[in-house]
Amino acid sequence: MNTTVDQADFFKTLEEKSDNGALRGDYSRCDANYVVQQDWNAYTPEQHELWRRLYQRQAKLMPGRACDVFIESLAKMDAADGIPRFDQTTEALRKATGWELVAVPGLVPELTFFEHLANRRFPVTVWLREPHEFDYIVEPDVFHDFFGHVPLLFNPTFADYMQQYGKGGLKALKLDGLTHLARLYWYTVEFGLIQTEQGLRAYGAGILSSGGEVEYCLTDPTPRRIAFDVERVMRTLYKIDSYQETYFVIRDFQQLFEATAPDFSPLYEKLRSQPDLAADTLLPGEINIAPNRRQDA
Ligand code: PHE
Ligand code: FE
């Protein structure tokens, strides 16, 4: 691997953050962009079986909970029978929105991640969780990345948003805006909700690849559900080891795209002197959107 200062830094930070002092993926074979071969033939029958179980459990939870775009794209992706071949999905994705999937060993440095997105490449982790991690994993695996993130890349507006996010990330690196920009990713791409005529639906990958949060985020009375606002999102801290305490709700993907189109430079500047908000904040005058009625699993 071609180790630059940025990369060395990346490993140092992650080693400090993780329990066993190492990232889970095999980084020995990746190129300078952290891309590897998927090596589909190396997956075992047991791994494909585990994927099928994950897929079936999760796909069953999607009706009435995931937004329509997600459900429609997932059905077209033909990924129910085992760990999919990224190349095949890339072919379909290229035609739909010009995106492609690239295989990566796991988490990649921020700069690398943003460069991929800015060039309409979505990095998908190659390894699959172990059976005892069926319900929960700390680092994203192929199930989270593929099942959670790829379906929405078939939607032209969301696909454009993701590319703009990548470009925005490259810019934020220079403007010291990353802490704030990362919250936008978290509360949209990972944990976003959308309002539909049938009620609230989830579009965030962190929700849609989770067995428990997908019902919780829509119907549990505990968390806050607040109308999406870029500045409000960027001020809000988030939890990484529990269900979210707040979800932000968009009207549609066009709103998300348009609200994030303006230059964020003045916003980063302004936010520097404003205090962060705790994850469970409801400000005076803010409306807490009513949850859906509970749907039994
Ligand atoms: N408009 C943002 C900027 O100027 C870029 C961006 C777009 C960031 C969409 C996130 C999502 O930095
Ligand atoms: Fe993710």
Side-chain angles (χ1 to χ4, degrees), residues 88-107:
Q88 282 179 4
T89 311
T90 287
E91 235 176 89
L93 204 47
R94 257 204 210 105
K95 281 183 207 143
T97 56
W99 273 74
E100 52 187 270
L101 305 184
V102 289
V104 291
L107 294 169

Side-chain angles (χ1 to χ4, degrees), residues 48 81 177 186 213 243 250 257 259 266 288:
H48 287 298
D81 295 335
W186 189 265
E213 192 154 2
Y243 292 161
I250 60 170
F257 186 85
N288 192 1

Side-chain angles (χ1 to χ4, degrees), residues 11-297:
F11 286 109
K12 195 169 153 277
T13 325
L14 276 150
E15 281 166 13
E16 280 163 6
K17 274 193 210 159
S18 64
D19 319 335
N20 57 358
L23 275 173
R24 201 159 153 171
D26 174 7
Y27 288 80
S28 67
R29 266 186 262 265
C30 61
D31 70 13
N33 293 321
Y34 281 77
V35 172
V36 294
Q37 293 296 321
Q38 187 192 11
D39 196 9
W40 190 84
N41 289 312
Y43 294 120
T44 65
E46 289 73 27
Q47 288 175 320
H48 287 298
E49 176 53 27
L50 177 60
W51 171 280
R52 278 192 288 276
R53 282 175 41 222
L54 283 163
Y55 186 100
Q56 274 165 22
R57 186 259 306 253
Q58 211 57 27
K60 224 190 289 169
L61 294 170
M62 297 297 101
R65 297 190 178 101
C67 64
D68 289 345
V69 183
F70 184 92
I71 295 178
E72 287 158 16
S73 303
L74 185 68
K76 281 189 291 196
M77 279 163 47
D78 195 21
D81 295 335
I83 302 169
R85 294 177 192 262
F86 298 170
D87 291 356
Q88 282 179 4
T89 311
T90 287
E91 235 176 89
L93 204 47
R94 257 204 210 105
K95 281 183 207 143
T97 56
W99 273 74
E100 52 187 270
L101 305 184
V102 289
V104 291
L107 294 169
V108 301
E110 278 148 354
L111 176 65
T112 307
F113 183 66
F114 295 142
E115 277 173 348
H116 281 308
L117 296 186
N119 290 288
R120 292 175 100 84
R121 294 188 301 261
F122 192 78
V124 179
T125 301
V126 290
W127 57 265
L128 182 65
R129 68 193 67 186
E130 301 288 324
H132 69 269
E133 301 166 295
F134 195 79
D135 287 315
Y136 185 75
I137 41 158
V138 184
E139 288 171 49
D141 72 338
V142 58
F143 186 73
H144 166 80
D145 283 347
F146 192 96
F147 186 99
H149 285 284
V150 179
L152 279 188
L153 293 174
F154 281 86
N155 175 267
T157 312
F158 190 83
D160 287 348
Y161 171 68
M162 287 293 276
Q163 178 179 30
Q164 291 311 111
Y165 187 92
K167 291 186 186 170
L170 295 172
K171 191 166 131 188
L173 279 170
K174 295 186 207 124
L175 295 172
D176 196 17
L178 220 52
T179 307
H180 292 115
L181 188 70
R183 294 176 188 158
L184 180 63
Y185 192 88
W186 189 265
Y187 281 119
T188 62
V189 179
E190 295 292 354
F191 291 97
L193 298 185
I194 185 166
Q195 188 74 68
T196 77
E197 278 168 23
Q198 288 75 43
L200 296 169
R201 296 291 182 270
Y203 71 91
I207 299 173
L208 293 170
S209 63
S210 155
E213 192 154 2
V214 68
E215 174 64 26
Y216 177 88
C217 73
L218 297 172
T219 63
D220 197 282
T222 315
R224 281 130 294 267
R225 298 170 183 84
I226 304 174
F228 176 79
D229 174 87
V230 174
E231 186 173 330
R232 173 65 161 84
V233 168
M234 285 196 183
R235 291 184 64 190
T236 310
L237 299 164
Y238 57 81
K239 294 283 161 77
I240 60 165
D241 49 9
S242 66
Y243 292 161
Q244 298 306 303
E245 296 184 324
T246 296
Y247 300 94
F248 289 95
V249 183
I250 60 170
R251 285 189 303 276
D252 50 36
F253 294 125
Q254 196 59 34
Q255 179 200 10
L256 184 58
F257 186 85
E258 283 169 14
T260 53
D263 177 13
F264 285 171
S265 313
L267 190 52
Y268 295 144
E269 191 55 47
K270 177 178 172 192
L271 289 172
R272 246 187 286 282
S273 58
Q274 269 185 30
D276 291 335
L277 299 174
D280 63 354
T281 304
L282 190 68
L283 294 172
E286 273 182 344
I287 295 170
N288 192 1
I289 298 169
N292 292 349
R293 212 163 284 138
R294 199 180 148 73
Q295 193 183 331
D296 291 310

